[in-house]
Each structure stands twice: as structure tokens, then as C-alpha cells.
Amino acid sequence: MAEILINDWKEALEREFEKPYYKDLRQFLIQEYKTKQVFPPMHDIFNALHYTPLSKVKVMILGQDPYHDVNQAHGLCFSVLPGQQPPPSLQNIYKELQEDLGCPVPNHGYLKKWADQGVLLLNTVLTVRAHQANSHQNKGWEQFTDAVIETVNRQQRPVVYLLWGKPAQSKKPMLTNPSHLILQAPHPSPLSAYRGFFGSRPFSRANDFLEKNGAGSIDWCIE
């Protein structure tokens, strides 16, 4: 397992890789990838950080753990590889996006366009066993991604956090920077989207905040 961060996250996070919890996590993952089917592929684990450098983060969306079916997870929360049908939560995100900004509903679930514009699509756990949701919880990833969240919180420029659902909202106490905006809503899953995710208008509200603070808006429409 090579933890090679290729941009300014490297300096921000390199100390994490030396900590005891991460060394334990690394040994666990080496064994898991050798003996089990694990998603995403090893070279995609840190894609959220690779695609969205720290200096470019404008919006952070927090997910839980990766999709656990074949050819879905590729290191960005809520996103699936090209050619895959959007999962139900992402379909609901697209519905809200259409209602909020008029964006047509795409026929795929690949969100790299968002990541390239400064939307950090971070899961709180970065790996999962095939067909076993939450199977890599409490192995150390949460401590690592907390370090990512704390690093973004320290940035003295406008950042928007989209906290969808209780697990994401549990990170709110870490978000103490008054120059940032926190937008909370129920999770977009079919179980909870109708309890207030629909109608929450996160995309236009994020853009309004970014524009008012001179940061430039995100083009949320996915072709």
C-alpha cells in the first residue's frame, strides 16, 4: 500500500501516516486486500484528495463508507464509475439538483466534474469489503478523515459543508471556523430524503454563499 498524496494534502497529512493508529490501519488493509474483495481498488482510495487539492476546496460533502458492489466505488462519496447506474441516494441528489438549479438529470453517476471544481467528496471511511456495508468502520479511517476535516476547518477562506444525515452531522462540532457555512439536511437515501432533503436547496445556497464571498460558484450540472 503506497500512501502517496500528489498535491498540497501531502504536507498537510503526512504526519498522520506515521501515527500508530494509521500503521495499524495499514496492516489491516494489506491483509484485507490480499485475502478479501475490497472496494475501491487500492489506487483509488485517496481519489477525493487527489482530485481536489486542499487549496481548491470550496465545498465538502461528507459520506459514510464506499459503495460495496462491483465497479461502483472509486474514491469519491456518492459517485460511481462511468457506465454504472446512479444508486438511489444519488438519484435523489439529482432530483434535488434539478429542482434547485434546473440541471437535467444525468444518465450516469460519475461526479468527478464536481471534484475538479473544488467539491471535496469525502467518505468518513475510505474502504469496504465487497457486499458488507460498514465492514471497515472503527479500524482507523475515522481518525484519518477527521484530520482531513480539521485541516479544511483551519482554512481561512469561504468553505461550505453539506452535512446530509446524522453520521455527517456528528462532525459538526469540529467545524468551528466562522468564515465557513454549514448546511444540514436529512440523508438523500430513499428512507429519509422526503423528511427534508428534498427542498433543502443545498446547491443554490452553497453557490450564493461562495459568490457573496468572492470565491466563485460551482457548476453543479453533470452532463
Side-chain angles (χ1 to χ4, degrees), residues 50-207:
H50 290 157
Y51 294 160
T52 311
L54 173 59
S55 59
K56 298 284 194 289
V57 174
K58 294 181 177 183
V59 178
M60 179 189 281
I61 301 179
L62 276 179
Q64 286 175 258
D65 66 340
Y67 296 122
H68 50 77
D69 286 335
V70 177
N71 288 333
Q72 287 188 314
H74 64 105
L76 304 181
C77 74
F78 293 108
S79 179
V80 290
L81 285 165
Q84 300 300 307
Q85 276 297 106
S89 291
L90 183 54
Q91 290 177 31
N92 286 338
I93 290 169
Y94 284 163
K95 280 182 195 166
E96 178 60 20
L97 182 57
Q98 183 178 43
E99 193 65 30
D100 189 6
L101 293 176
C103 297
V105 173
N107 61 358
H108 66 88
Y110 191 54
L111 301 181
K112 186 170 180 287
K113 177 183 175 180
W114 291 358
D116 289 340
Q117 295 180 82
V119 181
L120 183 62
L121 294 162
L122 185 72
N123 279 313
T124 52
V125 173
L126 300 188
T127 54
V128 69
R129 269 189 207 170
H131 318 304
Q132 294 182 48
N134 301 321
S135 47
H136 284 184
Q137 273 191 340
N138 303 317
K139 302 293 184 185
W141 275 131
E142 293 89 346
Q143 195 168 337
F144 180 82
T145 54
D146 278 358
V148 174
I149 295 165
E150 285 165 352
T151 302
V152 174
N153 181 61
R154 287 195 295 270
Q155 303 307 299
Q156 294 306 320
R157 61 175 192 278
V159 175
V160 182
Y161 302 93
L162 301 184
L163 304 183
W164 295 334
K166 288 193 174 124
Q169 289 161 17
S170 74
K171 304 296 182 183
K172 188 179 176 185
M174 301 167 64
L175 307 177
T176 56
N177 193 321
S179 59
H180 297 174
L181 175 68
I182 300 168
L183 297 176
Q184 299 184 92
H187 196 274
S189 83
L191 295 172
S192 54
Y194 289 93
R195 294 185 200 143
F197 176 77
F198 290 136
S200 62
R201 302 184 59 244
F203 308 103
S204 60
R205 290 166 73 197
N207 276 353

